[in-house]
Amino acid sequence: MLGIINEHINFQVSPGQPSSISDDAEVFTLVGSDHDAANLVNQKEIHWGLFEDSLGERLETAGGRTMDSDKADGEVKDGELEENKKRSVDGGKGSSTQKKLKKDKVVAATGKASRSESSIATGAPRVKPELTLPIIPAEVEHSILEDLRNRVQLSSMTLPSISFYTFINTHNGLNCASISHGGSLVAGGFSDSSLKVWDTAKLGQQTGNSSLQGENELAPNDNILNANAKGRSYTLFRGHSGPVYSATFSPFGDFLLSSSSDSTIRLWSTKLNSNLVCYKGHNYPVWDVQFSPLGHYFASASHDRTARIWSMDRIQPLRIMAGHLSDVDCVQWHANCNYVATGSSDKTVRLWDIQSGECVRIFIGHRSMILSLAMSPDGRYMASGDEDGKIMMWDLASGRCVSPLVGHSSCVWSLSFSCEGSLLASGSADSTVKIWDVTRSSKVSKSEEHKNGNTNRLRSLKTLPTKSTPVYALQFSRRNLLFAAGALTKIA
């Protein structure tokens, strides 16, 4: 018997001719919807603050205790200083002690200033997590706290040190790159369905029992990743049946996720060097995958126009976010893990509530597909980069663009905020890394912009060109060292 299925398709017909798209820079169109609908969505309440009892807050509390003890020590030293002043009148040795005490006071004052700068991000409001968060092992927590204590404070006057890893001999086969949070591991996803991971501590060493690569062309300290070395200098992961388009390390570096055109996501162990799980759910290529800030959960973006939320212990997705009108090209977690942002070929960015799966913000303004996203450490701002090289800074609370950042001449493939949120780094296909002043960018009003003319040059603090290496990935470490990676292309 042949069964007949009745399907009802609803069409909405509007009279008249279709309206033309305006070329005015202030007018942007959202295909399939309108600004009224976007404004209605953007009126929903969101909580952009940070976790209660986070690691940063614990460090701040510990720092406060240290400051109190420093204050008490300073008061004691002030008494000693007065006594030494009296002794120095007689020309004794107290003068040298006096200099030392002054130096100690300067060091203490500097420490207090650095702690006050580190509290910029921790001044954000506190929220409760909507997800069941994983337990952080004690040794990992101690390691993170140690990194936070030794963090370098960055500003427009103090720019980061940058370590750039260059892939060579890729033969245009490198699709993506990822760097672990500590910079100890670098991964590359290739068109031949392979995933390769380098241990940066072993760069410049030959395999086997040979010594450092001193007599070869590359110096031992060169950050060169040879994708086709005869003596393998990397760990090879095989399992995908199509090109690998994205890779991401877990926050603690013990796991690695990869996504592929074979519509699957694979979880790898960097300690066992093996594949643990294959996640199936998307029906088309998966363009991006990202671990949550605390690990365990991850999000994926696909050609099937959806983003999905997963957990490491379940093979099926926990949430499916549907609403984009074209490919979802990139995905990024909010700092408090309660929201996920997605960038699409429909030229919009959306913010989704993890618990309900609803879209709570629609960001309209780009004129080309969105390729990269980054969240500020305090969770208040988001940066998005598109195919034309334009970067837009958004206020999550209002859903409005705070400031456009123009300077790149090609696709912006990667964005990363510094740990205190004062700087934004962008990596582009134009073979440059740019450092932007976020604090200035978020405070410039339109009147000041018209008065000063092109303020983008003022917001861009530094441009760092490579010889001929498009920048695939950027990552600020917990100590505020900036890592970057890209594939060397042929110089014309």
Side-chain angles (χ1 to χ4, degrees):
M1 293 181 65
L2 179 65
I4 299 175
I5 300 175
N6 293 321
E7 293 186 358
H8 298 281
I9 302 176
N10 296 321
F11 290 98
Q12 184 177 358
V13 180
S14 300
Q17 296 295 320
S19 58
S20 60
I21 297 176
S22 174
D23 292 328
D24 186 3
E26 296 298 321
V27 180
F28 303 99
T29 59
L30 175 63
V31 182
S33 184
D34 55 24
H35 283 271
D36 293 335
N39 291 334
L40 190 63
V41 170
N42 291 349
Q43 290 175 7
K44 295 181 181 179
E45 184 181 7
I46 66 169
H47 304 283
W48 55 265
L50 302 179
F51 285 139
E52 295 176 346
D53 193 33
S54 64
L55 283 175
E57 190 172 7
R58 280 182 237 166
L59 180 65
E60 188 71 17
T61 304
R65 294 196 199 102
T66 307
M67 287 171 67
D68 291 339
S69 63
D70 286 344
K71 185 177 180 181
D73 292 342
E75 290 173 356
V76 172
K77 288 176 181 177
D78 284 340
E80 293 177 358
L81 187 60
E82 290 297 326
E83 187 178 346
N84 285 321
K85 278 183 181 178
K86 294 176 183 177
R87 291 178 184 174
S88 62
V89 174
D90 299 328
K93 295 183 180 179
S95 56
S96 61
T97 311
Q98 183 179 337
K99 290 178 182 177
K100 182 180 183 301
L101 289 171
K102 284 183 178 179
K103 183 179 179 182
D104 290 340
K105 287 187 70 177
V106 171
V107 171
T110 307
K112 291 176 185 177
S114 64
R115 289 190 193 98
S116 64
E117 289 178 12
S118 67
S119 63
I120 294 174
T122 56
R126 293 296 182 256
V127 299
K128 293 183 179 179
E130 296 179 0
L131 293 173
T132 304
L133 300 179
I135 298 173
I136 303 176
E139 62 273 12
V140 173
E141 185 172 317
H142 291 158
S143 174
I144 294 174
L145 288 173
E146 186 65 24
D147 286 338
L148 295 179
R149 288 190 189 97
N150 292 298
R151 176 180 294 168
V152 177
Q153 297 302 321
L154 301 179
S155 67
S156 58
M157 304 299 293
T158 310
L159 300 183
S161 298
I162 301 178
S163 179
F164 199 104
Y165 296 102
T166 304
F167 291 81
I168 62 172
N169 300 325
T170 61
H171 306 295
N172 296 321
L174 182 69
N175 294 326
C176 64
S178 180
I179 306 163
S180 64
H181 286 255
S184 59
L185 298 173
V186 180
F190 293 84
S191 296
D192 62 359
S193 75
S194 68
L195 182 68
K196 299 174 182 179
V197 178
W198 283 262
D199 184 344
T200 58
K202 299 177 181 177
L203 289 183
Q205 297 179 6
Q206 289 185 348
T207 56
N209 296 324
S210 31
S211 57
L212 291 177
Q213 206 170 342
E215 61 273 7
N216 290 351
E217 292 181 5
L218 301 179
N221 59 350
D222 278 350
N223 295 343
I224 302 295
L225 309 177
N226 194 341
N228 287 303
K230 293 181 180 179
R232 187 183 297 172
S233 58
Y234 52 82
T235 303
L236 178 65
F237 294 113
R238 283 202 177 274
H240 285 293
S241 58
V244 178
Y245 289 128
S246 178
T248 177
F249 285 97
S250 64
F252 315 128
D254 46 353
F255 297 105
L256 175 65
L257 283 169
S258 60
S259 65
S260 168
S261 68
D262 63 12
S263 74
T264 68
I265 302 163
R266 288 183 179 267
L267 177 69
W268 311 84
S269 169
T270 57
K271 295 181 177 174
L272 302 175
N273 294 334
S274 61
N275 183 221
L276 303 179
V277 189
C278 179
Y279 301 95
K280 298 179 180 179
H282 287 287
N283 301 317
Y284 290 95
V286 184
W287 302 127
D288 193 20
V289 62
Q290 292 292 329
F291 262 113
S292 75
L294 293 178
H296 188 68
Y297 300 99
F298 58 94
S300 58
S302 172
H303 177 58
D304 63 13
R305 302 183 181 183
T306 68
R308 304 186 185 215
I309 305 299
W310 312 72
S311 66
M312 288 171 56
D313 57 353
R314 295 175 182 267
I315 61 172
Q316 297 298 327
L318 305 177
R319 294 284 186 277
I320 299 177
M321 281 77 170
H324 280 293
L325 305 171
S326 187
D327 294 39
V328 183
D329 299 300
C330 54
V331 63
Q332 188 60 252
W333 286 82
H334 189 271
N336 64 23
C337 297
N338 291 338
Y339 304 97
V340 160
T342 53
S344 170
S345 294
D346 66 12
K347 306 174 187 177
T348 69
V349 180
R350 291 176 181 247
L351 188 71
W352 308 82
D353 186 294
I354 293 296
Q355 192 62 33
S356 65
E358 290 182 346
C359 177
V360 294
R361 288 290 182 275
I362 302 177
F363 303 94
I364 306 171
H366 284 283
R367 290 183 171 272
S368 59
M369 63 189 294
I370 287 86
L371 299 176
S372 55
L373 295 168
M375 291 284 183
S376 65
D378 63 0
R380 182 177 181 181
Y381 298 107
M382 175 182 67
S384 55
D386 65 22
E387 191 178 25
D388 293 337
K390 188 175 183 180
I391 301 168
M392 301 190 81
M393 189 80 66
W394 307 92
D395 186 323
L396 295 186
S398 65
R400 295 177 181 175
C401 177
V402 175
S403 174
L405 305 174
V406 181
H408 285 294
S409 59
S410 189
C411 311
V412 178
W413 280 336
S414 186
L415 294 166
S416 183
F417 279 92
S418 61
C419 295
E420 73 289 321
S422 62
L423 302 179
L424 174 69
S426 59
S428 171
D430 63 12
S431 300
T432 65
V433 174
K434 286 183 179 289
I435 308 295
W436 308 86
D437 186 353
V438 173
T439 53
R440 178 174 175 81
S441 300
S442 59
K443 292 177 181 176
V444 173
S445 63
K446 283 191 174 182
S447 60
E448 289 179 359
E449 193 167 336
H450 289 302
K451 188 185 297 181
N452 298 331
N454 183 11
T455 58
N456 290 303
R457 292 185 181 179
L458 298 177
R459 298 187 196 127
S460 177
L461 298 174
K462 196 170 185 65
T463 299
L464 302 158
T466 64
K467 182 178 281 188
S468 184
T469 304
V471 184
Y472 285 46
L474 289 172
Q475 174 74 53
F476 272 100
S477 73
R478 294 187 184 93
R479 299 192 180 197
N480 260 342
L481 173 65
L482 180 58
F483 294 103
L488 181 69
T489 57
K490 289 184 178 180
I491 303 174

